[in-house]
């Protein structure tokens, strides 16, 4: 009993820390864009390439079989390419573009609309209508977006239309990011898939946007912020989050990870002096409530399945 309790606490701590680091990373990215005028594509590509290299070196000592084996399976590497470009690269880029046109807190919250797009995809695929709780979740999300973007005045937008568009695109790409690699993650593990996703996405993005042509001047402060984005915003939180998933399960972990938008909002306010109104905060909480509601529903479903399986075995 003590062992399972300790395992549970470790899982919660890892997931919570991972989400907080992700939030801090968003604020650090905004700092680089605001103070050093670094383009979002540049930060995105550098982040992915550096994180991918670090993960590859680490995994070469731990999971070399997985690093090699995934390329021998035709179905797996095709899914990996789709995940890397349409999922991971597109998500990193659209998220940072959303930050550049709004702020880290707002962009992170808008990205958390993703569960609604995942729900829509599942309903369309299974030809089922959303149930009552799912409809409540969708309503909360729409209400949250309305408050964040208009502050209650339907005749005007308080954030730029570009910021809203990039935010919604980041949510769509996050949904793709979550749906596309499910089978290859089960087969090869999350870290192997994430590692190659970062490397492939970084290389393809660099070739598409040719960010090496941009001259940048980085002092120690900028290098420190970039280090935070790569290590504390990518490598460490992914590792911590996956450890948390291993200890407490994906559903509970996703509920705890909804702390990320709050962390991004707090860090943005503290580090960059961004001011949020009470209406903004209410809008943020409505969207986060959707994540928790849908995750709770999924946990309940899984619990009922386990109960049925136990009953059938006895």
């Amino acid at each position: 009993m003590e062992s399972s309790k300790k395992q549970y606490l470790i899982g919660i701590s890892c997931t919570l820390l991972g989400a907080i680091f992700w939030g801090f990373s968003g604020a650090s990215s905004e700092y680089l864009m605001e103070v050093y005028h670094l383009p979002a594509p540049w930060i995105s590509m550098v982040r992915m390439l550096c994180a991918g290299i670090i993960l590859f070196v680490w995994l070469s000592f731990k999971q070399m079989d997985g690093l090699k084996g995934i390329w021998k399976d035709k179905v797996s590497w095709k899914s990996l390419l789709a995940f890397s470009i349409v999922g991971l690269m597109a998500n990193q880029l659209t998220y940072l573009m959303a930050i550049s046109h709004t702020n880290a807190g707002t962009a992170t919250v808008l990205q958390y609309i993703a569960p609604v797009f995942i729900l829509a995809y599942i309903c369309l695929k299974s030809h089922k209508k959303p149930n009552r709780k799912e409809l409540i979740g969708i309503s909360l999300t729409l209400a949250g977006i309305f408050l964040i973007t208009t502050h209650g005045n339907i005749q005007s937008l308080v954030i730029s239309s570009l910021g809203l568009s990039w935010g919604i695109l980041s949510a769509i790409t996050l949904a793709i990011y979550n749906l596309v690699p499910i089978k290859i993650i089960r087969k090869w593990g999350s870290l192997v898939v994430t590692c190659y996703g970062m490397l492939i996405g970084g290389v393809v993005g660099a070739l598409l946007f040719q960010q090496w042509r941009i001259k940048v001047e980085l002092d120690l402060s900028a290098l420190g912020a970039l280090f935070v984005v790569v290590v504390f915003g990518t490598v460490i939180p992914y590792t911590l989050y996956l450890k948390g998933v291993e200890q407490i399960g994906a559903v509970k972990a996703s509920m705890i990870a909804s702390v990320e938008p709050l962390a991004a909002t707090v860090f943005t306010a503290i580090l960059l002096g961004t001011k949020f109104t009470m209406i903004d905060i209410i809008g943020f909480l409505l969207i986060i409530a959707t994540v928790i509601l849908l995750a709770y529903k999924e946990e309940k479903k899984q619990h009922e399945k386990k109960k049925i399986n136990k009953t059938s075995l006895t």
Side-chain angles (χ1 to χ4, degrees), residues 34-201:
E34 275 196 12
V35 178
Y36 294 93
H37 309 292
L38 294 178
W42 189 92
I43 298 171
S44 182
M45 300 317 123
V46 169
R47 174 185 184 177
M48 283 193 287
L49 282 171
C50 292
I53 290 165
I54 292 168
L55 282 170
F56 185 85
V57 171
W58 182 50
L59 289 172
S60 64
F61 292 101
K62 294 173 70 69
Q63 296 184 39
M64 183 52 81
D65 289 342
L67 289 175
K68 289 179 179 177
I70 196 167
W71 295 107
K72 295 174 183 178
D73 183 343
K74 191 176 181 180
V75 175
S76 291
W77 68 253
K78 282 184 177 180
S79 295
L80 179 62
L81 289 177
F83 162 71
S84 303
I85 298 165
V86 187
L88 188 53
M89 185 195 80
N91 178 247
Q92 294 283 327
L93 181 60
T94 52
Y95 172 59
L96 289 178
M97 289 299 292
I99 290 177
S100 70
H101 288 284
T102 56
N103 56 69
T106 303
T108 308
V109 171
L110 289 174
Q111 186 175 233
Y112 266 68
I113 304 167
V116 174
F117 290 113
I118 293 171
L119 172 63
Y121 170 79
I122 291 168
C123 287
L124 285 169
K125 191 180 177 183
S126 58
H127 304 289
K128 287 181 181 177
K129 292 180 181 179
N131 60 33
R132 189 169 59 87
K133 281 185 180 177
E134 289 165 346
L135 287 171
I136 291 169
I138 292 167
S139 302
L140 289 173
T141 297
L142 292 173
I145 294 170
F146 174 73
L147 290 177
I148 292 166
T149 55
T150 67
H151 282 186
N153 182 359
I154 199 166
Q155 295 180 337
S156 66
L157 282 175
V158 294
I159 67 171
S160 71
S161 55
L162 270 175
L164 177 60
S165 300
W166 283 116
I168 291 172
L169 276 173
S170 75
I172 292 169
T173 55
L174 183 62
I176 295 168
Y177 168 90
N178 278 279
L179 290 167
V180 170
I182 292 172
K183 289 181 180 178
I184 53 172
I185 282 175
R186 284 176 188 157
K187 190 169 185 178
W188 303 104
S190 300
L191 284 176
V192 169
V193 174
T194 301
C195 167
Y196 278 130
M198 292 283 180
L199 284 172
I200 295 165

Side-chain angles (χ1 to χ4, degrees), residues 278-312:
M278 184 54 69
I279 292 177
D280 287 323
I281 302 301
I282 293 169
F284 292 175
L285 291 174
L286 286 172
I287 291 173
I288 293 165
T290 301
V291 179
I292 294 170
L293 179 69
L294 294 179
Y296 175 75
K297 175 187 163 292
E298 186 62 29
E299 184 186 26
K300 199 173 179 183
K301 194 194 294 181
Q302 288 184 13
H303 180 70
E304 284 171 1
K305 277 184 182 177
K306 284 179 183 177
K307 215 172 178 182
I308 292 165
N309 289 338
K310 279 183 182 178
T311 307
S312 62

